[in-house]
Amino acid sequence: MKLTIQVNEGPYQHQASDSAYFFTKAALEKGHEIFRVFFYHDGVNNGTRLTTPPQDDRNVVCRWSELAAEHALDLVICVAAAQRRGIVDDGEAERNKKDATNIAPGFRISGLGQLVEGGIQSDRLVVFGD
């Protein structure tokens, strides 16, 4: 089965990000294809490389980055939600005249059309969070 995953919550405010990560990991282990993971609303905060949890806590951002590297996942952050929350890649930094970037490895910023495409191309769109 081909799946697109939508994550609507940040990494430390809600269980949704953890649930989405473990669901995605389990689906891959069972042989399912993950077409895309789309981070929307506060979910875009899963893609900032500046998150630094305490040593005894889980590093949600690193887990997503490592899973993406291991399985060539397409981790997409919604551009409008990213702009509102200060998530910036090279292109957005240049376009908006920002002097730094903070996107985590394995993530990219793109438009809501990527979510629509995921819904069309996949057998299921699974949403985590409100």
Side-chain angles (χ1 to χ4, degrees), residues 41-102:
H41 302 300
D42 284 339
V44 301
N45 290 315
N46 285 279
T48 174
R49 65 179 174 79
L50 299 180
T51 300
T52 310
Q55 290 180 352
D56 63 343
D57 198 358
R58 70 215 187 284
N59 191 324
V60 177
V61 176
C62 283
R63 287 196 309 200
W64 279 114
S65 291
E66 290 167 4
L67 193 64
E70 184 179 342
H71 296 281
L73 295 180
D74 186 19
L75 304 181
V76 177
I77 293 174
C78 174
V79 64
Q83 288 174 337
R84 290 183 189 101
R85 291 161 180 87
I87 309 297
V88 181
D89 65 3
D90 290 333
E92 289 302 306
E94 183 178 334
R95 190 165 72 88
N96 293 295
K97 298 177 179 51
K98 301 293 181 184
D99 61 359
T101 65
N102 64 339

Side-chain angles (χ1 to χ4, degrees), residues 4-8 20 37-41 115 125-129:
T4 290
I5 309 299
Q6 180 180 336
V7 183
N8 292 336
V37 182
F38 191 85
F39 297 87
Y40 196 36
H41 302 300
L115 177 60
L125 171 63
V126 184
V127 180
F128 292 87

